[in-house]
Amino acid sequence: IDLTSHIIKVYLTLKVENLGTSPASEVHLAFSPAEAEHLAIVKAAATSGKRKKKTYIPLDVKSAELPDGPNGTKFFTVTLLTPLNKGETATLEVLYILTHSLEPFPVEITQSESQLVYFRDSAILLSPYHVKEQTTFIKTPSTRVESFTVVDPAKRAGTELKYGPYEDQPPYSYSPVLVHFENNNPFAVVEELEREIEISHWGNVQVTERYRLVHAGARHKGAFSRVEYQTRPDATGVSSFKHLLAKLPPRVHSVYYRDEIGNVSTSNLRTDYRKSELEFQPRYPLFGGWKSTFVIGYGLPLQDFLFESPDGRRYLNFTFGCPLTQTVVDKLILKVVLPEGSKDPTAVIPFQVDQHLEIKYSYLDVIGRTVVVLEKSNVVPEHNVPFQVYYTFNPIFMLAEPLMLSIAIFLFFVASVSYLHADLSIRK
Amino acid sequence: MAPKAITSPVPDSLYPTLSVLTLAIGLVLTASFFIYEATTSRKTRSLAQELTTGAVASVFLGFGSLFLLIACGVYV
């Protein structure tokens, strides 16, 4: 269990054995209701080989309903590649990510205090199966651990806590533990991110991102002393953050960073041929409970993202998620604005999102542009995977825009001809 | 096998040059339209010629203003 940042990553290495008579093709994972509420993503892979030669084959994970769990337990089912016969074993690695699961305690801290948080989990894995042997390792970001529940055998060495090994646990056994430790890594949470990707067939993809950022750690109380903050950076504001990093695609141009007041000049863009990094600083450092609202926009060349599929349709291949590193997005609204005249839009995404269509009126629009809106909650950096939006477009529609301008100017000429031809003199 | 990328019909770097060229031709034709209007008397004017000059000028001006918009970053 990796507790180094505010996004908790839990890696499970399961060695499953089929003791029944019929082949099993599914393995069930159980989560407590509190965990399930904050679960961002569950991924599983089948491993073969050892150490450096390990190969990972990703497996399908789906949410499932099983009747026989204690009340509120949520289940996920991992589908194995080949069914497991009686007596066979298989090794699975499961990664699941929890957000908003580190509870700050004390709830409010002053500028000079360090941030301490609670982490609640179980020393024994919650599982619908009988567990023969298990060990839990918890990794904290620093060596300061105020307290942790002792469930024998438990040991602490530096930044690692070890619970176990525990033998022969019945299904659904749960032993709550509470770890109180120091975590000063930036608790950057974006409450709402609205990302608009506008495709123009004349050669540009324009991305506009509207952020509402908040520091989701222990709330700041008392006064903020700028003098103390700047003169003693190691002793004050250790849990605050002022730098944010956004990873953008290569060949990005016209990047801007502004908020309600205007342009914010504290930003740096570093580009190379594989990626671009925008490092920016809000107007003030963010302490617990402080918010910042801003807009970041940039343009990208069309040929990097728009492709033609074999059946003749066009598709946009873009990365889902938020470009900011180490941040959780509570609500992500991704809008793909397709050019005027596009028909039959469909989106292909590897995970569950809410989709609907909208209309947007922009420059030189008559019938409006179709917008594919994808909404997702609880987005973490693991969700930054490519997705596609397919649509059909007849290239002749591109001529509609210059012809509209030409017709407008021609009407001006016709008006001038008619004025010059009209004879309004009273005298013949 | 890389999928076929879709690019704009005109290379990106050519937009400013194209816009200046088409707008220049369009303005020259507009000028010739108004010169024709000013120099001929109402009786000898030919409606067909007026409308053709106007149409050709408006096509060039229309495309020129579109390329100007794109060159300035307003990708319509």
Side-chain angles (χ1 to χ4, degrees), chain B residues 39-54:
Chain B
T39 50
T40 61
S41 69
R42 194 161 282 155
K43 290 200 183 70
T44 55
R45 249 176 238 163
S46 140
L47 188 68
Q49 183 176 341
E50 281 175 335
L51 287 179
T52 27
T53 322

Side-chain angles (χ1 to χ4, degrees), chain A residues 200-242:
Chain A
S200 164
H201 286 133
W202 294 104
N204 190 44
V205 173
Q206 184 72 22
V207 184
T208 315
E209 299 170 345
R210 291 186 185 80
Y211 292 86
R212 274 210 327 229
L213 184 73
V214 72
H215 184 299
R219 296 186 72 86
H220 179 248
K221 75 172 175 204
F224 170 58
S225 163
R226 174 68 77 169
V227 172
E228 204 190 320
Y229 182 72
Q230 287 194 236
T231 49
R232 296 167 58 209
D234 294 326
T236 64
V238 282
S239 67
S240 69
F241 60 90
K242 52 181 188 206

